[in-house]
């Protein structure tokens, strides 16, 4: 006697929490249980019968690839765009129906929130790994911004950092935003019209600032009119600004632009705060590392300058004195033709004076701080004259009126960049002329060094280096690599960019663009709360892709 089933399978399917669906041979829904209809945001099972499903009916197809920082099963993944509500993610398994192979049975569950949390955890972990690398700060913060955008599907993210004085903001990292050279000017124009800059409130209050429907507010505010077209390119709605805190002090801000329909809950703010903490650690580490490197470089420059002055310079000076002595002896000794001795003495003396001048120029290059106090133009002019005397190279220097207003620390880095570019020309380019242009325009310091040499080539070959997407030279390796890398590191330290264009017949042009700070007055028109911040906070825009500040 066989026992009859206590519960029918239809009854079980009706109450199971996972979605169950039967698909035909082309992937259309044939039957669904109530849980499946609910997960797919349908009112009834009948609303979906005959509709195409998001599932692949082939077993094992499109399996999830599990990374080291992700916790996922061997289930397949499908994305579903319901008629109402946000997109959902389903983890599912598909099996063919043994009784009729034309049909496939699918069991699935909603993993949108679960995998969202996993992506956030993975983003934090990947960011921690990125902080352990020795990449430039700008590249690291770009990576942090990209991780946030990918994990939460935001419209855009930007990261701004404060300098050591706490008075200057530089835009050092971003993702999802198009770069626009005129953005900073337009932002300052908006502020002068009375626009509120929420990120300054974040710095003042040292807490996250959440502004729902910020884009609608900006669009309706005539003060923001200069940026309406630019910000309108981004599909966003709400705005959040989170402070970057390290050692109890603000290191900058993280600005997040949310796509329409995205909610800003407590977990979202916790994630942004965690990523802001990671960014603050990167800034703090970079600051400490930069101080250590600068101290080591300063000590090494002073040591080399002292050694050159105390030994080589003194020896060359002695050569000059001996040459003068030979001239005196030649004038007194009739056995030695006086004219010949004088000619020899003049030649040796002239040579010694030239060598002495060059060595003093080398001392200046190793320790240019005193000259830079007089201005960047004077320092570069001295370098140019020294190089022309030593090499015979013709160098034309053009400097704008405001070049000497650049702060000393930035001026020294720009001086080093120009010096390394000239060194590369002398050593590798086989050029006859060089043109150097330095200028300050639209809150940016620009430098262009162009030669008429053979271009950057591979191992003596004639193939010119082409510019990569990041502006680096594709074949600038080996003998050029270290110098170019040093120039790029100095540029990126200030949030700038360096681009190289080179050809076998057109020579090489190195262009460096570094943004300069612009002061924002203490009293902020249109700001809420106290309406001011403790001190003026300048803004600095970088050339990293796409910057924006609301």
């Amino acid at each position: 006697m066989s026992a009859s089933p206590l519960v029918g399978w239809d009854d079980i399917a009706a109450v199971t929490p996972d979605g169950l669906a039967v698909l035909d041979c082309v992937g259309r829904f044939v039957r669904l249980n109530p849980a499946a209809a609910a997960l797919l945001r349908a009112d009834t099972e009948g609303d979906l019968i005959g509709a195409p499903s998001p599932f692949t009916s082939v077993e094992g197809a499109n399996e999830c690839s599990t990374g080291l920082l992700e916790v996922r099963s061997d289930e397949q993944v499908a994305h579903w765009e319901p008629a109402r509500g946000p997109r959902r993610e389903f983890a599912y398994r598909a099996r063919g129906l043994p009784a009729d192979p034309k049909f496939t049975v699918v069991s699935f569950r909603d993993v949108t929130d679960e995998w969202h949390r996993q992506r956030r955890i993975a983003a934090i972990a990947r960011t921690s790994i990125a902080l352990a690398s020795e990449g430039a700060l700008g590249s690291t913060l770009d990576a942090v911004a990209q991780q946030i955008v990918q994990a939460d599907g935001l419209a855009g993210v930007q990261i701004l950092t404060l300098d050591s004085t706490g008075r200057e903001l530089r835009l050092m990292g971003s993702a999802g935003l198009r770069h626009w050279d005129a953005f900073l000017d337009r932002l300052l124009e908006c502020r002068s019209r009375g626009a509120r800059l929420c990120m300054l409130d974040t710095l003042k209050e040292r807490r996250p600032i959440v502004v729902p429907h910020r884009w609608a507010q900006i669009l309706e505010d005539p003060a923001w009119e200069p940026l309406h077209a630019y910000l309108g390119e981004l599909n966003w709605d709400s705005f959040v600004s989170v402070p970057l805190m390290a050692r109890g002090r603000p290191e900058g801000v993280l600005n997040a632009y949310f796509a329409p329909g995205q909610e800003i809950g407590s977990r979202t703010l916790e994630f942004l705060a965690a990523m802001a903490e990671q960014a603050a650690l990167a800034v703090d580490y970079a600051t400490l590392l930069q101080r250590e490197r600068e101290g080591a470089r300063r000590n090494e420059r002073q040591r080399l300058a002292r050694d050159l002055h105390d030994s080589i310079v003194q020896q060359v000076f002695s050569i000059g004195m001996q040459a003068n002595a030979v001239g005196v002896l030649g004038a007194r000794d009739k056995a030695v033709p006086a004219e010949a001795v004088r000619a020899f003495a003049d030649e040796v003396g002239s040579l010694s004076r030239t060598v002495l001048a060059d060595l003093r120029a080398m001392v200046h290059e190793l320790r240019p701080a005193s000259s830079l106090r007089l201005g960047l133009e004077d320092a570069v002019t001295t370098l140019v004259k020294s190089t022309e005397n030593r090499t015979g190279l013709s160098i034309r220097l053009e400097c704008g009126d405001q070049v000497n207003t650049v702060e000393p620390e930035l001026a020294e880095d720009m001086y080093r960049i120009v010096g390394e570019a000239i060194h590369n020309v002398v050593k590798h380019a086989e050029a006859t002329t060089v043109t150097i242009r330095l200028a300050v325009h639209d809150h940016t310091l620009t430098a262009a060094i162009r030669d008429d040499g053979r271009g950057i080539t591979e191992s003596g070959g004639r193939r010119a280096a082409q510019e990569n997407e990041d502006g680096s030279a594709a074949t600038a390796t080996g003998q050029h690599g270290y110098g170019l890398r040093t120039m790029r590191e100095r540029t990126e330290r200030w949030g700038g960019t360096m681009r190289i264009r080179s050809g076998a017949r057109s020579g090489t042009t190195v262009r460096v663009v570094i943004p300069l700070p612009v002061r924002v007055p203490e009293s902020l028109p249109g700001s809420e709360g106290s309406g001011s911040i403790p001190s003026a906070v300048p803004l600095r825009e970088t050339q990293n892709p796409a910057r924006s500040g609301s």
Side-chain angles (χ1 to χ4, degrees):
M1 181 177 179
S2 60
S4 60
L6 297 178
V7 182
W9 285 111
D10 289 343
D11 295 330
I12 296 176
V15 298
T16 184
D18 285 346
L20 294 176
V22 179
L23 313 180
D24 62 16
C25 59
V26 294
R28 292 175 300 192
F29 288 115
V30 175
R31 190 172 181 184
L32 303 92
N33 71 337
L39 291 171
L40 295 167
R41 298 296 195 270
D43 294 329
T44 64
E45 174 185 350
D47 294 339
L48 295 170
I49 298 300
S53 78
F55 310 112
T56 301
S57 59
V58 179
E59 295 183 25
N62 193 31
E63 289 187 359
C64 303
S65 57
T66 305
L68 175 63
L69 302 176
E70 297 168 336
V71 182
R72 296 184 180 178
S73 67
D74 59 352
E75 296 171 309
Q76 298 169 240
V77 61
H79 301 280
W80 176 252
E81 298 283 353
R84 61 180 185 276
R87 188 180 76 161
R88 312 305 296 175
E89 290 180 290
F90 296 130
Y92 72 98
R93 292 185 175 89
R95 297 290 186 270
L97 193 62
D100 192 340
K102 295 192 304 294
F103 297 101
T104 302
V105 177
V106 176
S107 64
F108 62 98
R109 57 193 179 91
D110 191 331
V111 293
T112 306
D113 295 337
E114 175 186 346
W115 286 4
H116 191 186
R117 288 193 297 272
Q118 291 178 9
R119 281 193 294 268
R120 286 176 169 177
I121 294 171
I124 295 173
R126 290 193 184 99
T127 301
S128 299
I129 293 173
L131 297 183
S133 66
E134 295 191 7
L137 178 60
S139 300
T140 300
L141 296 183
D142 274 341
V144 173
Q146 189 63 39
Q147 288 291 339
I148 299 172
V149 168
Q150 291 177 350
D152 268 26
L154 301 185
V157 168
Q158 59 182 185
I159 300 174
L160 301 94
T161 65
L162 281 169
D163 72 345
S164 58
T165 66
R167 295 174 59 85
E168 292 184 2
L169 272 173
R170 302 187 183 99
L171 193 44
M172 294 293 291
S174 70
L177 300 167
R178 177 180 67 86
H179 171 66
W180 183 32
D181 290 336
F183 167 74
L184 183 58
D185 288 335
R186 300 292 84 79
L187 179 64
L188 294 176
E189 183 179 348
C190 293
R191 187 268 308 160
S192 66
R193 289 166 167 240
R196 173 195 176 194
L197 302 182
C198 298
M199 61 183 177
L200 298 183
D201 295 338
T202 299
L203 285 173
K204 177 185 65 177
E205 300 178 16
R206 300 188 180 187
R207 65 175 181 84
I209 300 292
V210 180
V211 188
H213 312 301
R214 178 60 168 160
W215 169 231
Q217 297 173 13
I218 289 176
L219 196 59
E220 295 174 357
D221 188 350
W224 285 96
E225 191 276 333
L227 280 175
H228 280 171
Y230 174 68
L231 293 178
E233 297 175 5
L234 191 67
N235 184 26
W236 68 291
D237 178 29
S238 299
F239 176 81
V240 174
S241 185
V242 182
L244 274 59
M245 302 295 297
R247 304 172 188 265
R249 65 176 184 271
E251 295 285 355
V253 293
L254 185 154
N255 294 335
Y257 297 79
F258 286 76
Q262 288 185 319
E263 297 181 358
I264 306 175
S266 59
R267 289 188 176 179
T268 299
L269 293 178
E270 288 177 4
F271 171 62
L272 291 178
M275 296 300 284
E277 183 178 357
Q278 297 288 319
L281 290 174
V283 175
D284 189 49
Y285 173 76
T287 300
L288 294 176
L289 186 61
Q290 183 63 34
R291 289 175 182 171
E292 181 180 351
R293 288 175 175 173
E294 287 299 321
R297 290 171 183 168
R298 191 179 303 110
N299 293 337
E300 183 65 12
R301 288 199 300 268
Q302 292 174 352
R303 185 189 66 81
L304 290 174
R306 183 175 59 252
D307 292 346
L308 285 170
H309 183 271
D310 292 343
S311 58
I312 299 177
V313 173
Q314 293 298 330
Q315 294 176 17
V316 174
F317 179 75
S318 298
I319 293 174
M321 294 296 294
Q322 292 175 10
N324 291 333
V326 171
V328 173
L329 291 176
R332 295 178 179 178
D333 190 352
K334 296 180 179 180
V336 180
E339 184 176 352
V341 173
R342 288 194 184 96
F344 174 79
D346 289 343
E347 182 179 356
V348 173
S350 176
L351 178 62
S352 66
R353 286 191 297 273
T354 301
V355 173
L356 184 60
D358 287 342
L359 288 175
R360 283 174 175 167
M362 290 175 61
V363 173
H364 160 77
E365 292 174 20
L366 289 167
R367 193 172 51 193
S370 58
S371 177
L372 284 168
R373 281 195 291 270
L374 301 177
L376 178 59
E377 181 177 358
D378 289 341
V380 176
T381 299
T382 301
L383 174 64
V384 166
K385 290 180 179 179
S386 171
T387 304
E388 286 182 324
N389 292 336
R390 187 174 70 254
T391 65
L393 191 65
S394 175
I395 304 178
R396 177 184 178 186
L397 175 63
E398 301 175 5
C399 289
D401 295 337
Q402 301 182 37
V403 167
N404 286 333
T405 64
V406 177
E407 60 189 85
E409 193 174 2
L410 172 57
E412 179 170 353
D413 270 341
M414 179 58 78
Y415 173 88
R416 298 292 181 185
I417 291 169
V418 173
E420 184 60 38
I422 294 176
H423 172 77
N424 288 339
V425 172
V426 172
K427 189 172 182 180
H428 306 299
E430 297 179 0
T432 58
T433 60
V434 178
T435 300
I436 302 172
R437 293 185 174 89
L438 294 171
V440 173
H441 180 68
D442 289 340
H443 309 299
T444 59
L445 170 63
T446 62
I449 303 94
R450 180 176 182 180
D451 66 71
D452 61 353
R454 62 177 183 171
I456 301 175
T457 58
E458 289 183 313
S459 304
R462 299 297 297 171
R463 184 167 71 85
Q466 299 299 320
E467 187 182 41
N468 289 332
E469 291 182 357
D470 64 352
S472 61
T475 59
T477 57
Q479 59 186 356
H480 300 89
Y482 179 77
L484 293 179
R485 184 168 63 252
T486 301
M487 293 165 63
R488 192 175 305 283
E489 288 175 353
R490 291 185 182 276
T491 302
E492 292 180 350
R493 174 192 175 193
W494 300 95
T497 58
M498 184 181 80
R499 296 188 178 276
I500 301 172
R501 294 190 181 276
S502 185
R505 297 183 179 179
S506 59
T508 300
T509 299
V510 177
R511 178 174 174 80
V512 175
V513 179
I514 296 176
L516 297 176
V518 177
R519 300 248 171 214
V520 175
E522 296 183 11
S523 179
L524 299 175
S527 63
E528 298 179 0
S530 63
S532 63
I533 53 177
S535 60
V537 181
L539 305 176
R540 184 186 295 272
E541 186 192 20
T542 72
Q543 298 287 338
N544 286 345
R547 314 301 197 195
S548 162
S550 300

